[in-house]
Every structure is written in C-alpha cells, then in structure tokens.
Amino acid sequence: MEQKITSLSKEKRVFHPKEPFSRRAHIKSMAQYKKMYNESIKNPEKFWAKAAEELYWFRRWKEVLKWKPPHAQWFVKGKLNMSYNCLDRHLGSWRRNKAAIIWEGENGDTATWTYQQLHSQVCKFANVLKMLGIQKGDRVCIYMPMIPEIAVAMLACARIGAVHSIIFGGFSSSALVDRINDAQAKLVVTADGAYRRGTIVKLKENVDNAMADCPTVENVVVVKRLEQEVIMHYGRDHWYDELMHSVDDVCPAEQLDSEHPLYILYTSGTTGKPKGILHTTGGYTVMTYLTTKYVFDIKEEDIYWCTADAGWVTGHSYVVYGPLLNGATTVMYEGAPNYPDPDRFWKIIDKYKINVFYTAPTAIRAFIKWGEEWPRKHKLDTLRLLGTVGEPINPEAWMWYYKVIGKGKCPIVDTWWQTETGAIMITPIPGATPTKPGTVTLPFFGIVPEVMTKEGKKCKVNEGGYLVITKPWPAMLRTIYKDDHRYQRQYWSEYPGIYFTGDGARKDKDGYFWIMGRVDDVINVSGHRIGTAEVESALVAHAKVAESAVVGRPDDLKGSAICAFVTLEGKYAPSEELKAELKEWVVKQIGALARPDEIRLTEALPKTRSGKIMRRLLREIATQGIVTGDTTTLEDFSVLETLRDEEE
Ligand code: PRX
C-alpha cells in the first residue's frame, strides 16, 4: 500500500518585496501577478502568442498549440531562428554596442564581447561548421570550458539548424562516448584544456580517448584556451582560430520550423543510461525569453550573472539563451568559487558590479561553511536580486543568503524547474510575490502544477504528494532522443495526460509549493514517508553542521531507517556526544518520527560535478557498506574512500 509523503516543515517567516524594488519591477504587485496568471491559464494560447510577438519570426505560426498527449507542438508552422533572436534582433538598435558577454577566466584573464562582436564570431563559426560538412539536423557535441566560445558554438549550431549536445567538461571520456554515440554526433567542439581550482582539465585528451569508440565523429575543432601541448590528429582535428581565419562573417540565419530540434541534453534518470532530453526551437525560445524577463526582472542596464556551467540546463537557458534573447549583459566565469580564495564570487560581483545573481543552494551552503568573513570583505552593494535553483534550499541557507549576501534588501527567487521543463516553472516574481524561506512559491504564467496522491487525487492543504504539471507548456521536452517509449513511460504513465515530475511536494494554505526532493529520495519510516530534504534542513539549521544528506536504509522494524551523513563546520570535532545532540536536535526541530537512526559524521559528501549530493551512493554505503553502482558523475573519488573509512 502506498503511504503518504509526510511534510514536516514549519517555516513561518514571510518576506515582502521592498517598495522601491516593486516600483521599478516589470511586475509590481501580487494583484498584477494574479491578474496576469489567471488570464494566462484561462487562455494560455493567447498569453503565449503575445509573448511570442515580442520576438522575431520569419513566418508567423498558424496555431499556437497542437496537443496530442503526450506530444505537443508549439507555434505550429511558425519559422524563426534562436540565434537571430539572440543576436541580429539587437543589431538594429544601440544594443549592438552593448556588452553581450563579460567573461572572466579562473586565471584572471578577462574579455568583453559586444552583441556585434558576438554576432560576427557566431556567423564565422556557423560558416566553419558548414565548411566541415555540418548540415541542418546534424548533431554537434560541445565539450568545452566556460569560455565565450562555448556560447559561440551553441549559437552557431542554432544559426544553421544543427542540434547541439553539450557534455559538461567534468565528464570522463567514457561518459563522452555514450553520449556522442547516442546522439550520433558528426563533430566535436572542444578546447585544449580548462582551468579548474588552479589545475588543468585535459579536455582534448579526454576527447582523444573517446574517439576510438565514436565512429560517427568526422571532425574535432579545438579552441586554444591554454598553452597546452596537445596532439592534433591530422585530417580529423582542427584549430578553431585557424578555421575562423578562413571564413567570412556573413551567414544568414536559417529559417527554421518552430518544432525544429534545438538541442539534446543528457541527464540521469532512474536507470543507468542517461536520457537525451530533446528541446525544440519555438516554444523554448519564447519561454526562456519570458521567464528571464519576469523572474530576473531584467533591466536594460543590468549586469546579470548565473554561475551555472553551460554544460547543465541552467547554463543553456539562463547563462546563454534567456539573457541574450533579452539583450542583457551576461557574465561568465570559468572556474571554481573558492579559487584562489573562498571569496572569488564576491570579488567578481564587486568587480563587475553585478546586479542580478543566480546560483545553487549547494554553493550557498559551501559559502556558509567557509565563513561569513569572506563575503564581509566585499561591498556587494550593486546586487538587487538573488536567485537559487537545483535543489531545495533549507531555510537557514536561505536566511544566510538573504542577510549576508542580499543585506536584507534583495528579493530571492527560488526557482523550480528541470532539464525536462526547459525553463523556470514555479518561482516567485520578485517585485510581487511575498517569499518564505524554503518555498518556490507560485507557478509562472501559463503553468498549472498540482500536488497529487498516488491515486491521482488532488492533495489537501499541506498534504505531501507528487508534483505534476497538468497542462503542456512551451519549453517542455518533446521526447527522449530516439526513445519515445521511455519518454511516455517515464513522464506520462503515472497519470495519463499529466506530466510527472518525479518530485514530492506540498502546497500550503497560500497555494505555495514546497518541494520535498525527488520522490526516490523520500523515505518510508514506520509508515511515514519523510522528505529527506526536510531532515537535512533541520540538521543544517544546527550551528555545528555544514551540510547533510539523509538516506533511507532497509530496517526490519520500521521499513526504512533514517541514516544521516553530516559534515561539520570546520572548528567542530566529531564525537558520540555530538551525534546524540544532533539526533535530539532533529527531534526538536521536526518530531520523534524523524529522529535519525544513525548519524555518520564525515569530512565530505559525494557530489556530482554540478554539486548535487549523490544520495544513491550514500544509500549504497548506508545499506551495504560499499558502492556498486555507476560513479562516473562523481566529482571527487577520494570522498568515497573517506566514507568507507568512517565505517570501519
Ligand atoms: O528535484 C528537483 C530539483 O532538481 C531537479 C531537476 O534537476 P535538473 O534537471 O538537474 O535541473 C536542475 C536545474 C533546473 C528537480 O526535479 N530542483 C530544481 N530546482 C529546485 C529543485 N528542488 C527544489 N527547489 C528548487 N528550486
């Protein structure tokens, strides 16, 4: 029998947007949000058509939405080009001289590219791709550091209708092989290397190692980022700079069908095989444009920084496409947040006078661990809006972000979405929505989420259940590349015609959504299913705790027992007393049903390269004492050794 997901959060604090912020915001009040939201769900096609009209179409669509569940087409028969909308559309105005990208390398190199300059580079690289035989519909794999050329490569693909598949620079060569082969990519764009935490990541070497097993790849283009000796394979490998010299900067944007594929992005599912999430052009363009405008309240003069790597969906939608569609200035940083010191981000914010800053809870928790003295050294007074994404933010981290970084004056937009959704789905609108620490608040325009029981009934107020999206939205994934069956099974079989997110959530009396983590991270203890994120949040609220991850382990008596892995703030030493104290702390914060059965104090938690804690590995360690599954996405393998040592 399916039990309920028990929600245990008791957060009561509410933060209203400050009047000076709201006055200047695109959306200035809750009344305005509600009116627009109601209209947007009463007539979504009218709402999205109006948004689409703000962009440039070579040919107007005939129908806004064709919905044959679970397959959607948006802006049917319309023709447009993402690259044209990001670049050419701005060149007729003063924006041609505006900074499109401000870039800083980890080693201190810097560059600023105007819209005109970016346009020229993109046109040239589009010509390079054509010269190397890339045609509309061909797949191009991008495996690069965070340098402006990654945006050039993306936009050049989009310009000629090639489909990019970015593979995060932290992936190994075997991960590259799987993804390149699944996409049957014809060309790889890479670099001789990248800087990361002061060391060199040998991207080209990884590509070389992969190539023997990638028969579809005909050419490899290599950007020179370092003075790194690399082996160039005659006939296959080409230096980016040399190719760019041999082409001109005129390349008309292809007039692409609205449903033409824009990119594939691989993401992990519940099975070992990564899923190729497929996004198409029209709907994705319209929705990343509009969400960036309203959620980040983008102003012409803003300098906007999203710290995500372009290898993740956040980098696609909110480092590159969304900001450029809005004619904004987007900042890109190549390296680690703590190199050379833990205040690198704060230095960058002051140096470039960043106004809007978007990062991940895991980063915020690291900053807390490193200590307040680091941000305190910097003014941070240009910031006006903060954002977070990627996992539930525990209220204490939210408060730290609000007070220490935002100085109590910046709204925080906690944005919920997924690789699959393509764009932000549930989020505060910063000038309008009162926020509460830990909730992603209300749906974006046109989005109709719901929390449902296993049986498909709407959950009651504060009752935990499954987060679903009941109506199609423009940036939704169209399928899993070459595996439509998996697409249907994974997302649409739980509730026919309704998108299953895989997340647990509850809705409070104000209709605010509280994400409780992945459903597979929800554990069942004595008949109660408890959101692991909530137990973690309680633990992290303890002054001595830096970070925690909670997993279930089978227990004869209770079904599952709660096992909490905890890292301590630097100055505290592990002890049995402290473990007992933390257990009691959780009881105090939540209740006896959430008392951890076991606390393991550990020096570090295993994380993916994007900073997500790999709970699956912890579950294996908690259950079997060893890790047997796939560890290819783990950032630091020594963490596993440490965790095993803890056990002995
Ligand atoms: O569990 C949710 C969590 O991240 C998942 C999506 O991961 P990914 O596809 O890698 O995309 C991350 C960036 C969009 C979701 O199913 N998640 C994302 N944002 C939030 C979140 N959980 C809580 N709060 C969020 N703001």
Side-chain angles (χ1 to χ4, degrees), residues 70-91:
H71 295 107
Q73 291 177 48
W74 282 87
F75 307 106
V76 184
K77 298 228 154 41
K79 283 201 187 291
L80 79 165
N81 185 289
M82 170 61 102
S83 161
Y84 188 96
N85 275 290
C86 285
L87 302 170
D88 309 51
R89 198 164 64 85
H90 308 305
L91 298 186

Side-chain angles (χ1 to χ4, degrees), residues 27-279:
I27 299 183
K28 300 176 195 311
S29 66
M30 263 319 255
Q32 189 184 353
Y33 162 78
K34 281 186 183 152
K35 182 166 179 285
M36 279 176 75
Y37 179 73
N38 289 338
E39 284 169 8
S40 77
I41 58 163
K42 213 183 303 155
N43 193 343
E45 297 181 26
K46 186 173 163 203
F47 176 83
W48 289 114
K50 193 161 162 260
E53 278 161 7
E54 294 179 30
L55 297 167
Y56 185 82
W57 295 77
F58 298 113
R59 189 170 80 197
R60 196 183 160 89
W61 54 92
K62 294 247 181 325
E63 206 180 332
V64 177
L65 169 67
K66 200 181 252 175
W67 177 225
K68 287 203 190 111
H71 295 107
Q73 291 177 48
W74 282 87
F75 307 106
V76 184
K77 298 228 154 41
K79 283 201 187 291
L80 79 165
N81 185 289
M82 170 61 102
S83 161
Y84 188 96
N85 275 290
C86 285
L87 302 170
D88 309 51
R89 198 164 64 85
H90 308 305
L91 298 186
S93 75
W94 68 273
R95 276 189 190 152
R96 70 188 281 258
N97 291 324
K98 180 175 175 175
I101 296 176
I102 296 177
W103 172 76
E104 177 152 314
E106 191 181 73
N107 64 343
D109 289 349
T110 59
T112 300
W113 296 36
T114 66
Y115 273 91
Q116 180 70 69
Q117 288 169 328
L118 184 58
H119 177 264
S120 300
Q121 297 301 306
V122 168
C123 288
K124 280 179 141 190
F125 195 60
N127 284 332
V128 165
L129 292 174
K130 288 202 243 179
M131 189 170 77
L132 295 176
I134 297 299
Q135 295 176 0
K136 186 167 141 182
D138 286 345
R139 274 80 56 215
V140 170
C141 163
I142 298 176
Y143 182 64
M144 290 173 81
M146 278 297 276
I147 53 178
E149 288 82 355
I150 195 170
V152 172
M154 293 164 76
L155 290 158
C157 288
R159 195 162 190 89
I160 63 171
V163 183
H164 61 71
S165 164
I166 307 188
I167 301 172
F168 175 58
F171 278 115
S172 64
S173 42
S174 60
L176 263 174
V177 169
D178 295 344
R179 289 159 175 76
I180 288 174
N181 287 340
D182 189 78
Q184 301 206 296
K186 276 176 79 174
L187 185 141
V188 176
V189 191
T190 187
D192 55 351
Y195 290 109
R196 187 79 192 175
R197 260 185 217 109
T199 63
I200 281 168
V201 186
K202 294 180 175 165
L203 295 172
K204 175 64 166 62
E205 209 173 282
N206 288 346
V207 172
D208 288 343
N209 291 336
M211 283 305 98
D213 299 315
C214 296
T216 56
V217 175
E218 294 164 5
N219 292 288
V220 176
V221 178
V222 188
V223 178
K224 199 161 188 52
R225 164 71 186 111
L226 314 171
E227 291 309 316
Q228 179 79 4
E229 278 291 316
V230 293
I231 299 164
M232 297 293 277
H233 293 252
Y234 183 76
R236 184 195 75 192
D237 297 352
H238 317 268
W239 286 110
Y240 177 92
D241 278 347
E242 288 172 13
L243 294 170
M244 292 289 270
H245 278 305
S246 63
V247 289
D248 69 23
D249 64 359
V250 180
C251 178
E254 278 283 325
Q255 303 196 5
L256 299 172
D257 189 87
S258 178
E259 282 301 328
H260 185 76
L262 178 66
Y263 68 80
I264 300 167
L265 183 56
Y266 287 89
T267 184
S268 342
T270 42
T271 73
K273 189 179 183 296
K275 302 178 279 191
I277 303 301
L278 183 83
H279 284 290

Side-chain angles (χ1 to χ4, degrees), residues 313-314 389-392 414-419 440 503 515 518 612:
V313 74
T314 309
V389 61
E391 54 182 318
D414 180 356
T415 61
W416 179 90
W417 58 295
Q418 307 175 300
T419 305
V440 295
D503 278 356
I515 308 295
R518 300 290 304 189
K612 279 213 176 86

